[in-house]
Amino acid sequence: MKHFLLLLLIIGFIGCKDSKSVDNTFVNTDSKLIELFKASKSNYPNISVHRGGKGLKNYPENCLETLKYVSDSISAIYEIDVAQTKDGQLVLMHDNSIERTTTGNGLVKDLNYNQLKTFRLVDDYGNETSFKIPLFSEVLKWCKTNTVILTVDIKRSVSQEAVIQAIRKANAEDVSIIITYDVAQAKTAYKLAPELLLSVSARNNKELDRLLETEIPTKNMLAFTGTRLSDASLFKRLHTKNIVCMLGTLGNLDKQAQAKGDQLYNRWKNLGADILATDRPFAAFNAIN
């Protein structure tokens, strides 16, 4: 009888242990963006605002207040840059140094966040503002509350894992797209977060072929086709796989539109560019909408 009771206790213990391990299993569910960003659909924003807004007087790049300002006027997604401070805080900053965009100087990696908070952000014209360098967590919280979509450019000094953990901690998977620049980055990002939509580099057929040879499903891909205008055949091929195409007009193409007329944005969209990543969000939005 004692042996029988002991056997029951052992079985019960194993059962409880197994049950606990099942309960603690993390189950990934696809970000809503994976279903939203499909070439067969058109109900997603068709403007991507470079660095959260550039060239705007009194509104600096990579600034939460700038995101709020632009989003009050147009429907868009926002490309932002995430860097890491000396004490491990994730902040919005494009350059390694803070000199160009703030009233301070020094490298982000050499400064604590408390030090960064003492400086003010500066717009592209050198005007000092009252705005401060935002924490990535603050931006995620606002974007989640207001259903504003981010494409997250991870600076070289920051690990993909740290950024993905921050997104998950904020429960912001449904408003976050991870930017990758090559197949290796795309593969590691997918391995870390198969639930997220990834911006992948597909500037030509060779790059697309390499992506299609990976284990990454096409449903997880949003194709960045570069900052030069690709042949319409590339857009068409991506569309046959239901992959949304993003063209980077920032730089030369924006300058062309500014000089020759904003109707060029329509021409590029009709060629097959579903989203325009631009430094002229208001002009591009008005042209194609």
Side-chain angles (χ1 to χ4, degrees):
M1 186 65 179
K2 289 182 180 179
H3 292 301
F4 178 70
L5 291 173
L6 181 61
L7 181 60
L8 286 178
L9 286 171
I10 293 171
I11 293 172
F13 174 76
I14 294 173
C16 290
K17 187 176 181 181
D18 288 344
S19 175
K20 184 177 180 181
S21 65
V22 171
D23 290 342
N24 288 340
T25 300
F26 179 75
V27 179
N28 288 327
T29 56
D30 281 352
S31 160
K32 291 179 181 178
L33 302 182
I34 289 178
E35 181 60 30
L36 176 64
F37 284 91
K38 293 184 181 296
S40 56
K41 297 184 176 182
S42 59
N43 58 332
Y44 48 80
N46 49 31
I47 295 295
S48 175
V49 185
H50 186 219
R51 296 189 196 170
K54 277 180 53 63
L56 302 173
K57 189 174 181 180
N58 297 320
Y59 286 96
E61 66 180 52
N62 279 307
C63 171
L64 179 54
E65 286 79 7
T66 304
L67 268 66
K68 294 176 180 178
Y69 170 70
V70 178
S71 67
D72 280 343
S73 300
I74 65 172
S75 173
I77 63 180
Y78 297 83
E79 184 264 347
I80 59 166
D81 303 281
V82 176
Q84 192 166 34
T85 64
K86 184 178 181 180
D87 54 340
Q89 295 292 323
L90 297 180
V91 297
L92 268 57
M93 181 63 59
H94 177 271
D95 300 356
N96 293 328
S97 168
I98 66 170
E99 185 172 352
R100 180 179 64 86
T101 57
T102 79
T103 55
N105 56 67
L107 301 178
V108 179
K109 67 181 181 68
D110 293 335
L111 298 166
N112 294 327
Y113 180 63
N114 282 337
Q115 291 175 290
L116 292 182
K117 286 195 297 184
T118 64
F119 307 125
R120 298 177 185 271
L121 287 168
V122 174
D123 71 13
D124 285 340
Y125 306 98
N127 298 310
E128 181 180 330
T129 72
S130 61
F131 309 138
K132 301 298 184 74
I133 299 170
L135 286 167
F136 182 44
S137 59
E138 294 173 341
V139 176
L140 286 173
K141 182 179 179 180
W142 180 82
C143 287
K144 182 187 175 187
T145 300
N146 295 278
T147 319
V148 172
I149 299 168
L150 298 172
T151 58
V152 184
D153 192 341
I154 304 171
K155 304 289 57 170
R156 291 183 179 180
S157 59
V158 188
S159 71
Q160 288 180 333
E161 187 172 8
V163 172
I164 289 167
Q165 285 178 351
I167 290 169
R168 285 177 174 162
K169 184 176 181 180
N171 295 315
E173 293 92 338
D174 290 336
V175 294
S176 302
I177 301 169
I178 298 295
I179 294 175
T180 64
Y181 286 98
D182 53 42
V183 171
Q185 288 183 358
K187 287 172 69 175
T188 56
Y190 176 69
K191 186 175 181 180
L192 287 167
E195 76 275 19
L196 294 182
L197 183 65
L198 305 179
S199 171
V200 296
S201 180
R203 296 169 295 180
N204 51 57
N205 282 301
K206 287 184 179 179
E207 287 191 344
L208 178 55
D209 288 338
R210 286 196 288 269
L211 285 165
L212 295 176
E213 290 169 0
T214 69
E215 75 282 9
I216 306 170
T218 55
K219 69 174 185 175
N220 288 72
M221 298 181 187
L222 188 159
F224 183 73
T225 61
T227 55
R228 295 182 179 181
L229 193 61
S230 300
D231 189 83
S233 61
L234 177 63
F235 296 125
K236 184 176 181 180
R237 186 182 176 203
L238 286 160
H239 286 163
T240 61
K241 299 185 181 299
N242 214 10
I243 300 174
V244 168
C245 303
M246 181 188 293
L247 170 66
T249 65
L250 51 101
N252 288 333
L253 294 179
D254 272 346
K255 291 176 182 176
Q256 285 184 36
Q258 191 169 16
K260 299 179 180 179
D262 293 342
Q263 72 277 1
L264 284 177
Y265 291 118
N266 264 317
R267 184 184 302 176
W268 299 327
K269 194 169 189 306
N270 292 334
L271 191 68
D274 306 298
I275 301 173
L276 304 178
T278 178
D279 284 330
R280 303 180 68 229
F282 299 117
F285 178 86
N286 290 332
I288 65 177
N289 290 281

